[in-house]
């Protein structure tokens, strides 16, 4: 399987830069607030944990090659990290599916950043052959549901680990 590599994207005053391990230091600050984990579980990562996570993520694919991993740091002018968008790609038969995730630091929330950043990723992936987009969202995570709805995703009846699968594009089983 060959997966696309994340490329720099721009939308308005937001820049999305492909993740680098060197981003861990700045991102540890963005991801430090425990409120970010209210609906997703987990907790604020230490710098060493984040570096290890980023070292793995920048490989761009799972070790068995069945998933593509694309990650962007979202930057606001002049050059401050505000959050990230990630896409996990899988091929379901002929249909390339991307599961999207988005996180914006508390200082930057409520300005449309997640919607615009995830929208830029969605558009870029669609231009590279991704036919279906998914997101997994806790039923009480109203902000994330708004983001998904504004991206054109809709909730399904499928619940995995307490999160509802939202989808766009043609339905594929599984
Ligand atoms: C979800 C998240 C990324 C949204 O980031 P953001 O940049 O603030 O998102 P946007 O500004 O693009 O859009 C947020 C929308 O949710 C709405 N919203 C925000 N908080 C809300 C709340 N508590 N209840 C209802 N709606 C809420 C906003 O009004 C906005 O909708 P609108 O444009 O219709 O007014 C951010 O809250 C976050 O990082 N949360 C923690 C991590 C997380 O849960 N990630 C998603 C996992 S599925």
């Amino acid at each position: 399987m060959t997966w696309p590599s994340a490329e720099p994207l721009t939308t308005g005053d937001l820049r999305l830069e492909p993740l680098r391990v060197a981003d861990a230091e700045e991102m540890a600050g963005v991801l430090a607030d425990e409120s970010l984990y209210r609906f997703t579980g987990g907790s604020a990562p230490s710098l060493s944990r984040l570096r290890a996570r980023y070292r793995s993520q920048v490989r761009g694919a799972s070790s068995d090659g069945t998933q593509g991993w694309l990650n962007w740091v979202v930057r606001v002018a002049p050059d401050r990290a505000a959050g990230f968008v990630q896409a996990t790609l899988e091929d379901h038969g002929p249909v390339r599916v991307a599961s999207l995730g988005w996180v914006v630091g508390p200082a930057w929330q409520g300005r449309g950043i997640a919607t615009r950043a995830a929208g830029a990723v969605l558009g870029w992936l669609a231009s590279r052959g991704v036919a279906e987009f998914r997101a997994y969202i806790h039923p009480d995570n109203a902000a994330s549901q708004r983001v998904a709805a504004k991206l054109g995703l809709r909730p399904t009846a499928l619940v995995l680990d307490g999160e509802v699968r939202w989808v766009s594009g043609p339905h594929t089983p599984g």
Side-chain angles (χ1 to χ4, degrees), residues 35-37 39-40 102-105 108-116 136-138 141-144 146-147 150 163:
S35 69
L36 289 172
Y37 308 96
F39 299 115
T40 57
W102 40 73
V103 173
V104 169
W108 305 101
Q109 290 177 8
R111 307 180 191 191
I113 291 177
T115 304
R116 284 188 290 139
Y136 294 88
I137 305 178
H138 190 282
N141 192 347
S144 195
R146 278 297 299 153
V147 173
K150 287 187 286 182
E163 296 183 320

Side-chain angles (χ1 to χ4, degrees), residues 60-125:
S62 59
S63 42
D64 65 2
T66 60
Q67 290 186 336
W69 295 341
L70 284 72
N71 290 271
W72 289 263
V73 172
V74 180
R75 295 191 168 275
V76 295
D79 193 22
R80 299 272 306 276
F84 69 83
V85 177
Q86 65 181 29
T88 303
L89 271 52
E90 285 180 342
D91 284 339
H92 294 237
V95 181
R96 183 155 284 192
V97 177
S99 296
L100 301 180
W102 40 73
V103 173
V104 169
W108 305 101
Q109 290 177 8
R111 307 180 191 191
I113 291 177
T115 304
R116 284 188 290 139
V121 166
L122 191 152
W124 183 81
L125 287 171

Side-chain angles (χ1 to χ4, degrees), residues 17-29 31 46-60 71-73 75 81:
E17 296 288 347
L19 180 73
R20 305 161 306 160
V21 176
D23 291 317
E25 206 151 302
E26 190 179 5
M27 288 302 290
L31 301 177
S46 67
L47 179 54
S48 62
R49 259 185 68 191
L50 199 56
R51 278 200 187 111
R53 183 187 301 169
Y54 285 1
R55 262 186 231 112
S56 167
Q57 289 180 339
V58 297
R59 294 205 317 261
N71 290 271
W72 289 263
V73 172
R75 295 191 168 275

